[in-house]
Amino acid sequence: MELTVPLPLDRRDKLIAFLLAAVVLIAGYWWMVIGVCGIFHDDAIYVSTAKALATGQGYRLINLPGAPFQTKYPLLYPAILAFIWKLWPSFPSNLLAMQALSLLAGGAVTGLVYLYLVRFGYCTRGVALAAGLLCATSFNFLYFSTITFSEIPFALILLAGLWALEEQVRAPRSSIIRQLFLGILLALPFMCRTIGVSLAPVGLFCLYRHRRPVRWVAMGASVLICPWLIWTQAISFYVPGDLFTEYYTNYLTWWYEHGLSFFMRILVYNVWYSMFASGYVGFPGLERSLFSLESLPLSVCYFLLGIITWIGITKNAIKQQILPLYLISYFGIIMFWPWPPFRFLVPLLPFLLAYLIGGILIITQRLTVIPGCRTAFIVAMGILLAANLSSVFIQGQINQKTRYPLLVRTNPPVHWSSHESMFNWLKLHTSPDDVIASGLDTMVYLYTGRRAFRPFVSRPAAMFYGDPSQSLGTPADLLQVMRAYRAHYLVHTPMPGFGEEKLFAALIKNFQLEYPGVLQPVFLGEDPRFVIFAVRPGPE
């Protein structure tokens, strides 16, 4: 196992780290829309569970009818948001502090990753700086740094664990307290996001290979991990077993409803998509400013960039370096995760960019016989950075105009004012006990106080992996679930960026044809895509 001597960080390094963080804060402030939550569904789940914790209702999904226990997302990030809610219980005003937390974490990640890469010799200062600049100006990174998602806080916690591990394997001796503390740091990413589970075993492996103590480190990690696992298994007996509730409370449904035979299709697609996304996620400005993402040459380019990235990571993982070993273990998990892996790559973006730029530099060094090759590389980096900045500026203008931050372009655009009109109607014309069915149910709950649920089960196998089954069910399924949850109203809105958007619209249209009169329109927004239906008794 290769182990480099840590490089001392000088004043220049700290200044660069500070400037990288400042770029994220400035660009993120321009991009951010304050007071908006629920556009990605999960972001409002985190906030609603934080509200439950802050108001003494326990770790429950109080947005759902019956308020089942939350056993899907680990506790750490909602607990941090709950602390903010406790101090500032006025919603949606308190979203300012919650979004600021994400943005500060984004700035810290970008600056500290630069220091981490330089100190432990993973790349040169120039490569680390270039990676930091591209990360700081990627609107993919800025998007997750400006909403109530756990990705960026997870990245910061992960970085703390990796840094402590690097120091520990280089320390000839360490106290029991320090070993326990390291174990806790290795477990914290898992307590923020389930996919962080691999850091603890990777860390123990690295310590063992370097003949460092592992017993107390393992004990420290177990102190956090085991209680959560025990609690989720014990409390699962009290969670309703229907598919609609299971979507909110566990991941297993996505696997066992399709069986082991479907794993190979997931593996092939996710490997391909990860290669593509690893190239795209850091250079979104190239697509927004110069090309179309659907163009074959650009798709091939992104795919090749992704291959360069993961070849570099794999080569260093073979040398058993800590960072690439963890990245490979993380990659191994998302390959079998039955969902497109884009979101999972965002927390790793500065690391991926460092390996990509380092790999391209190695290629250019071997092409020194070609005149101007290095100059062309520097010019290309400048173009990519300018394209990223241009896209952040343009999309930031759109975000401020519509007050609806999005990663995808919509035509016509969605305006937050349309949602606010819908919320106002629901608060004025419905009872606090009424149950609402909606594709953006978590958003409906936060802004109206009405319990809400998704009247369909998202089936990623059908939406993304070519499974021929009905992806959102049939009109009969929709009628059955609305009866089961006693829905009083069905809210239909645009769902930009969701694979379910067109499918849900088609399902409602087919439902109205098959069960006429069950859905009675009672609200039509200025944007006709916003409709509220009263749910009437249907045929038995």
Side-chain angles (χ1 to χ4, degrees):
M1 179 180 283
E2 290 191 6
L3 201 61
T4 59
V5 177
L7 296 177
L9 298 171
D10 56 28
R11 183 177 301 177
R12 175 186 56 176
D13 294 318
K14 296 173 184 177
L15 177 61
I16 290 174
F18 176 80
L19 292 175
L20 288 173
V23 172
V24 173
L25 296 179
I26 294 170
Y29 179 77
W30 173 254
W31 174 277
M32 182 166 55
V33 178
I34 298 171
V36 174
C37 184
I39 58 176
F40 212 103
H41 197 254
D42 293 9
D43 53 336
I45 291 179
Y46 286 120
V47 175
S48 64
T49 50
K51 177 183 177 181
L53 288 168
T55 54
Q57 299 179 67
Y59 194 38
R60 290 178 176 270
L61 292 158
I62 57 175
N63 53 295
L64 289 177
F69 288 101
Q70 171 62 292
T71 55
K72 183 178 182 180
Y73 297 151
L75 182 64
L76 180 58
Y77 181 61
I80 296 172
L81 296 185
F83 180 74
I84 295 174
W85 191 290
K86 194 74 173 178
L87 295 176
W88 189 356
S90 177
F91 180 88
S93 300
N94 56 10
L95 284 174
L96 170 61
M98 297 181 190
Q99 291 175 265
L101 172 69
S102 294
L103 184 56
L104 290 171
V109 166
T110 310
L112 292 174
V113 165
Y114 168 84
L115 297 177
Y116 171 84
L117 293 172
V118 171
R119 175 165 176 75
F120 298 108
Y122 285 107
C123 61
T124 64
R125 287 181 168 87
V127 169
L129 174 60
L133 286 172
L134 288 171
C135 176
T137 57
S138 166
F139 61 70
N140 291 317
F141 187 81
L142 294 175
Y143 176 77
F144 288 91
S145 297
T146 52
I147 60 176
T148 53
F149 257 156
S150 63
E151 271 79 357
I152 306 304
F154 164 78
L156 183 58
I157 295 168
L158 170 65
L159 180 59
L162 288 170
W163 195 303
L165 179 61
E166 298 275 4
E167 297 285 2
Q168 184 83 333
V169 297
R170 291 168 172 82
R173 292 183 180 181
S174 61
S175 65
I176 292 177
I177 297 298
R178 184 174 179 179
Q179 294 173 46
L180 285 169
F181 181 69
L182 174 62
I184 291 171
L185 282 179
L186 296 180
L188 279 177
F190 171 71
M191 295 304 298
C192 187
R193 288 180 61 80
T194 302
I195 198 168
V197 67
S198 63
L199 181 59
V202 168
L204 293 174
F205 170 78
C206 293
L207 292 170
Y208 174 77
R209 287 301 303 267
H210 283 282
R211 299 183 179 180
R212 299 293 185 264
V214 298
R215 181 176 57 180
W216 291 107
V217 178
M219 182 69 70
S222 301
V223 165
L224 286 185
I225 293 175
C226 291
W228 170 252
L229 294 178
I230 292 170
W231 186 85
T232 55
Q233 291 303 309
I235 211 68
S236 63
F237 293 104
Y238 301 95
V239 175
D242 62 277
L243 290 176
F244 297 92
T245 303
E246 286 185 347
Y247 166 77
Y248 294 90
T249 56
N250 73 69
Y251 296 106
L252 297 179
T253 304
W254 295 337
W255 280 299
Y256 66 63
E257 72 173 336
H258 296 288
L260 295 175
S261 62
F262 206 73
F263 273 22
M264 186 55 64
R265 189 180 299 183
I266 292 174
L267 175 63
V268 171
Y269 177 88
N270 282 0
V271 168
W272 177 89
Y273 189 89
S274 293
M275 294 300 108
F276 171 85
S278 296
Y280 165 73
V281 70
F283 310 132
L286 191 62
E287 175 256 328
R288 293 290 179 96
S289 303
L290 304 176
F291 302 100
S292 168
L293 192 58
E294 286 75 25
S295 66
L296 181 60
L298 187 60
S299 297
V300 172
C301 176
Y302 281 136
F303 185 80
L304 292 176
L305 292 175
I307 289 178
I308 292 172
T309 301
W310 285 100
I311 286 177
I313 293 171
T314 303
K315 287 176 63 177
N316 287 309
I318 293 173
K319 300 175 184 177
Q320 298 185 15
Q321 295 178 350
I322 292 174
L323 175 60
L325 274 176
Y326 175 74
L327 295 178
I328 288 292
S329 69
Y330 187 99
F331 181 79
I333 294 175
I334 65 175
M335 288 308 94
F336 290 98
W337 203 265
W339 205 267
F342 171 78
R343 275 181 61 185
F344 303 106
L345 294 175
V346 171
L348 306 182
L349 179 57
F351 298 128
L352 298 179
L353 285 169
Y355 278 102
L356 171 58
I357 295 170
I360 294 175
L361 275 176
I362 292 174
I363 294 173
T364 57
Q365 289 170 359
R366 294 177 180 177
L367 296 176
T368 51
V369 293
I370 302 177
C373 186
R374 183 174 291 274
T375 302
F377 172 77
I378 296 174
V379 171
M381 288 293 105
I383 292 173
L384 291 171
L385 182 59
N388 276 4
L389 285 170
S390 174
S391 293
V392 169
F393 179 77
I394 293 171
Q395 190 61 41
Q397 285 184 314
I398 297 173
N399 290 350
Q400 302 310 317
K401 181 179 179 181
T402 62
R403 293 189 58 227
Y404 201 89
L406 287 174
L407 280 175
V408 296
R409 292 173 176 172
T410 60
N411 189 23
V414 179
H415 291 262
W416 183 244
S417 58
S418 296
H419 284 280
E420 290 178 319
S421 297
M422 179 189 69
F423 300 148
N424 290 334
W425 190 94
L426 287 170
K427 286 187 287 187
L428 286 172
H429 296 89
T430 65
S431 165
D433 295 327
D434 285 340
V435 176
I436 313 296
S438 173
L440 295 178
D441 56 306
T442 54
M443 176 193 290
V444 169
Y445 166 75
L446 281 179
Y447 289 90
T448 68
R450 276 51 172 173
R451 296 282 175 91
F453 68 98
R454 272 190 166 183
F456 56 81
V457 176
S458 297
R459 295 183 172 91
M463 290 189 294
F464 307 111
Y465 300 105
D467 187 83
S469 63
Q470 290 279 349
S471 56
L472 297 186
T474 65
D477 295 330
L478 178 58
L479 179 63
Q480 181 181 3
V481 69
M482 287 197 297
R483 283 178 172 172
Y485 282 90
R486 299 180 180 180
H488 298 86
Y489 295 90
L490 186 148
V491 170
H492 184 223
T493 67
M495 298 170 61
F498 285 90
E500 299 95 329
E501 181 179 27
K502 293 182 179 179
L503 297 169
F504 189 41
L507 178 60
I508 292 176
K509 183 177 180 180
N510 293 334
F511 182 92
Q512 290 176 296
L513 293 174
E514 190 166 333
Y515 301 104
V518 175
L519 298 179
Q520 295 289 333
V522 292
F523 170 85
L524 182 65
E526 292 185 12
D527 183 338
R529 294 173 294 176
F530 288 78
V531 185
I532 299 176
F533 300 94
V535 181
R536 306 304 184 194
E540 296 297 332

